């Protein structure tokens, strides 16, 4: 698929951290090695790294990588969009790609024509008794929208402590 055929991806930058140098000192080399695995993988034009929080408004999560790169800010470790010097077409070390989902939010549904206490009781019985699951059909329950939601948020990404540690050395 050609990039001009992609649907637009809208994102909002919700937080920008402190710019942390990755050149010029032993602490910078240590950070560089921790982020890229090898300082030779750091792009030549990269002198600082910044933690950015992005809210994806439309599109697919992989489009964050292309959008940030097109703005001149490729993700650390992303050799597809310019975040390393590797010429490989895949990831050099995909677990080092500096992209992490830190918050999820989704609706907490209500259930139509049901008794909440009865549903919870059956869930517990099913969880504890495999024989019950085989003998009894699961009751059909229709979920409907509610005004409640479930939200889960991490305090930071895998690299956050590295940036905080390096920032404290200035």
């Amino acid at each position: 698929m050609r990039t001009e055929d992609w649907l637009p991806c809208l994102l909002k930058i919700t937080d920008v951290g402190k710019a942390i140098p990755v050149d010029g000192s032993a602490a910078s080399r240590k950070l560089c090695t921790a982020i890229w695995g090898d300082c030779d993988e750091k792009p030549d034009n990269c002198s600082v790294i910044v933690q950015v929080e992005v809210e994806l408004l439309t599109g697919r999560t992989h489009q964050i990588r292309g959008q940030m790169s097109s703005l001149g800010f490729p993700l650390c470790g992303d050799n597809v969009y310019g975040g390393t010097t590797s010429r490989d077409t895949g990831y050099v070390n995909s677990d080092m790609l500096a992209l992490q989902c830190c918050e999820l939010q989704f609706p907490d549904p209500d259930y139509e024509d049901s008794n909440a206490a009865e549903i919870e009781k059956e869930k517990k019985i099913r969880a504890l008794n495999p024989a019950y699951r085989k003998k009894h059909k699961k009751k059909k329950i229709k979920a409907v929208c509610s005004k409640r939601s479930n939200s889960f948020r991490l305090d930071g990404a895998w690299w956050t402590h590295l940036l905080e540690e390096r920032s404290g050395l200035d």
Side-chain angles (χ1 to χ4, degrees):
M1 178 181 259
R2 301 175 325 196
T3 55
E4 54 270 6
D5 294 335
W6 289 359
L7 295 174
C9 172
L10 301 176
L11 53 83
K12 177 169 66 172
I13 296 175
T14 58
D15 189 37
V16 177
K18 183 178 177 184
I20 309 292
V22 288
D23 287 324
S25 72
S28 294
R29 281 191 297 284
K30 181 180 174 185
L31 176 60
C32 183
T33 301
I35 297 291
W36 284 279
D38 180 351
C39 285
D40 291 338
E41 287 297 321
K42 179 185 76 64
D44 294 335
N45 62 348
C46 179
S47 58
V48 299
I49 57 174
V50 177
Q51 181 166 297
V52 177
E53 187 173 303
V54 173
E55 180 182 345
L56 189 61
L57 302 173
T58 64
R60 302 282 186 244
T61 54
H62 72 275
Q63 291 176 319
I64 292 171
R65 297 167 51 210
Q67 291 289 327
M68 293 302 290
S69 182
S70 72
L71 294 170
F73 302 100
L75 304 183
C76 293
D78 189 353
N79 61 333
V80 174
Y81 289 98
T84 70
T85 58
S86 177
R87 304 298 174 233
D88 190 5
T89 58
Y91 297 121
V92 173
N93 188 351
S94 63
D95 62 341
M96 296 301 285
L97 178 64
L99 177 63
Q100 181 169 329
C101 177
C102 291
E103 183 174 11
L104 291 175
Q105 186 173 16
F106 52 90
D108 185 15
D110 282 327
Y111 300 97
E112 194 172 83
D113 298 326
S114 64
N115 179 339
E118 186 180 315
I119 292 168
E120 286 305 314
K121 181 180 174 184
E122 183 164 332
K123 280 183 187 176
K124 288 177 184 174
I125 292 171
R126 285 184 171 283
L128 297 172
N129 188 345
Y132 181 89
R133 289 193 298 260
K134 290 178 184 174
K135 291 179 184 175
H136 297 82
K137 284 187 174 182
K138 203 173 196 179
K139 293 180 182 177
K140 292 190 178 186
I141 301 168
K142 183 177 179 185
V144 293
C145 289
S146 76
K147 295 183 189 233
R148 297 180 317 277
S149 65
N150 293 300
S151 184
F152 305 92
R153 183 167 179 79
L154 297 175
D155 291 332
W158 65 262
W159 61 85
T160 302
H161 74 281
L162 298 168
L163 300 182
E164 290 169 348
E165 182 181 293
R166 173 62 182 95
S167 180
L169 297 174
D170 291 339

